[in-house]
Amino acid sequence: MIKRRIEVTPSHIFFDGELPFYINRVSESYELGYHAHEFTEISYVGEGEGHQYIGEERLRVRRGDLFTLPLGASHVFRPSSANAGRPLVVYNFLFEAERMSEALRGFPGLDRLGRALACLDLAPGDGGWRKMQDRTGAFEAFFAAAYPEFVGRRTGYQTRIYALFIVLLTEIERRLADEPHGARAGHAGGLEDALSFIRASLASPITASQAAEAGGMSERHFYRLFAKATGLTFGQYVQRLRIERSCELLRRTRLSVQEVAEAVGYQDRGHFLDVFKKITGLAPRSYRSSYEKLPDEGERGQ
C-alpha cells in the first residue's frame, strides 16, 4: 500500500469571527496535494469530469456529483485532463460544524434531519463521507444561489445562505433515507446510483464494472457494498430483477414469451425458461394463465 503524505488544511485560512462557513469555486489541478481538513466540507462538481481520491478509494466524478466530507476525511480531486479547455470545476461549501450547529440551533424541524446532521458533523452519529448524484437539481440550485450570495455579500446574504443550507440539508436527508438497507455512512459511495443503473439497464447486458462506474466507485468497493446491502451476488440480484420484470410483463401485456425474454435481457429462450421456473416454480405460460384473463382490445381503456 502506498503511503501518502497528508497535509492538514487549518480552519483559520477560511473562517473569521463573523461567519462559520466559506464558499468557493475552483478549477481543480494536479498542484494541490492529498489533504484533510480541520472543518467539514460539501463539494459539488459543477463542470467536467475526473477523479476524487478519498482515503484508499479512487472515485470517478462528473457534473452533478456531490460529496460530503466530514472532519478529518483525506481527499483530493484530479481532472481527467491537464487541458485547460476541459476543466474540472468544483464548488466547495466549508464550515465549522460546532459554530454552524450553534447558529442553527432552534430551527423548527431540524432535529428530524438526523441522518443529514450526522453526515455533516452537526450531530453525533456514523458520519463518514458520502457521494450522491444530483437527480432533482437541488444540489446545483444550492451552489448556484449560495455562491453568488457569498461573493456579493449584499444585505441579508447571511440569512439567505443559512436558509439555502437548510433546504440542502432536507435534500440530503431524503437521499439518505432512500438508501438501501445496510448501506452505511463512510462506505455508501454511489451504491444508490449503481443500483438505479442496474434497474434501468435490465434489457441490456450488464456488468459489475459498468454498475461500479455508474456509482463512481471502484469495482472492488462496489462488490463489498453490494453484498452488504443486498445479501446477494451481482448475478443473483440482476437475475431476480429480470424475472420480477418478466412477471410484470406477463401479467400486464400480451407479449409472447420470447418477446418478454428479450425485453428483460435474455436472448436465449431456453435459458430464460430455466431461470424463470427456478425462481417462480412455474413456466412463463403457466404463470400467465394463473392470473385473470387479460381484457380484450375493445375493453382496454374503459
Side-chain angles (χ1 to χ4, degrees), residues 66-80:
L66 180 133
F67 292 87
T68 63
L69 299 164
L71 180 69
S74 54
H75 78 116
V76 68
F77 279 100
R78 291 286 184 254
S80 59

Side-chain angles (χ1 to χ4, degrees), residues 126-178:
D126 184 10
W129 62 267
R130 299 272 185 170
K131 174 182 180 292
M132 307 172 195
Q133 175 63 209
D134 190 13
R135 295 178 182 167
T136 65
F139 299 155
E140 181 179 20
F142 168 77
F143 284 98
Y147 178 65
E149 286 289 341
F150 183 77
V151 173
R153 304 207 174 196
R154 298 176 62 190
T155 302
Y157 81 96
Q158 296 181 20
T159 304
R160 285 200 176 194
I161 293 175
Y162 279 122
L164 290 166
F165 183 68
I166 292 294
V167 175
L168 179 64
L169 277 177
T170 61
E171 184 67 19
I172 292 175
E173 179 71 19
R174 291 173 180 179
R175 292 295 301 272
L176 296 179
D178 290 340

Side-chain angles (χ1 to χ4, degrees), residues 248-265:
E248 181 181 353
L249 292 174
L250 288 167
R251 293 195 306 269
R252 298 178 180 274
T253 76
R254 293 184 181 278
L255 293 174
S256 69
V257 171
Q258 178 64 38
E259 289 171 330
V260 169
E262 292 176 358
V264 297

